[in-house]
Amino acid sequence: MGVSKPLSGYTMSVVDRDMLNQAHLYVLENTEEVLSYIEQHMIHIKTAYPKFRKRTKWLQDKHNSTFIQWLRFKVQSELNEEDNHGVSENLRWLAAGPNMAVPLYRSYLIKGIKFNIKA
């Protein structure tokens, strides 16, 4: 009775890239394992753009627009090294990012109750 599952066939929908990146960044910034990478990225930005190191809003905007790609590259380069720097499976998946294609179902069974989704 506590089983939740889709009841219909699905159609694939492609999520808006900007919205997906915003959600992905939110998840990354609220994951303990990623915090040290955020600090490293901020140091990287301040070093690469020394004229802007005191401009908090500019630094945050630059971080927001470049962190996902930087993290993907950083984790991949750590995985390519001999000791893998202890990169966990979770961090590897987080750095790879979510899939833009999402299955959509017309009906679900949630805790024994059928829900129909209107298109």
Side-chain angles (χ1 to χ4, degrees):
M1 195 63 167
V3 175
S4 299
K5 63 182 180 176
L7 296 175
S8 65
Y10 66 88
T11 57
M12 292 304 283
S13 177
V14 177
V15 179
D16 176 71
R17 181 179 300 276
D18 290 336
M19 192 176 349
L20 189 65
N21 283 341
Q22 186 176 8
H24 185 211
L25 184 61
Y26 179 81
V27 169
L28 292 173
E29 290 187 339
N30 288 282
T31 302
E32 178 99 17
E33 196 170 8
V34 179
L35 295 179
S36 66
Y37 289 91
I38 291 171
E39 291 171 6
Q40 290 176 48
H41 185 243
M42 291 304 283
I43 290 168
H44 167 75
I45 292 171
K46 288 176 181 177
T47 302
Y49 303 97
K51 291 181 183 178
F52 297 98
R53 67 181 312 132
K54 301 264 187 209
R55 295 179 60 192
T56 307
K57 179 162 179 11
W58 187 93
L59 290 170
Q60 190 62 49
D61 289 345
K62 190 67 171 173
H63 167 74
N64 291 348
S65 67
T66 61
F67 181 66
I68 292 172
Q69 185 175 3
W70 179 89
L71 180 66
R72 186 175 300 128
F73 176 78
K74 179 77 170 166
V75 169
Q76 189 58 50
S77 66
E78 289 179 357
L79 285 169
N80 290 338
E81 293 180 12
E82 196 169 312
D83 65 354
N84 289 345
H85 284 281
V87 174
S88 71
E89 188 79 7
N90 186 48
L91 182 58
R92 187 174 68 82
W93 282 104
L94 285 169
N99 191 338
M100 288 185 63
V102 177
L104 297 176
Y105 298 90
R106 288 191 207 120
S107 60
Y108 294 87
L109 181 65
I110 302 173
K111 294 186 178 181
I113 301 170
K114 182 179 177 182
F115 292 90
N116 292 314
I117 310 300
K118 295 182 182 180

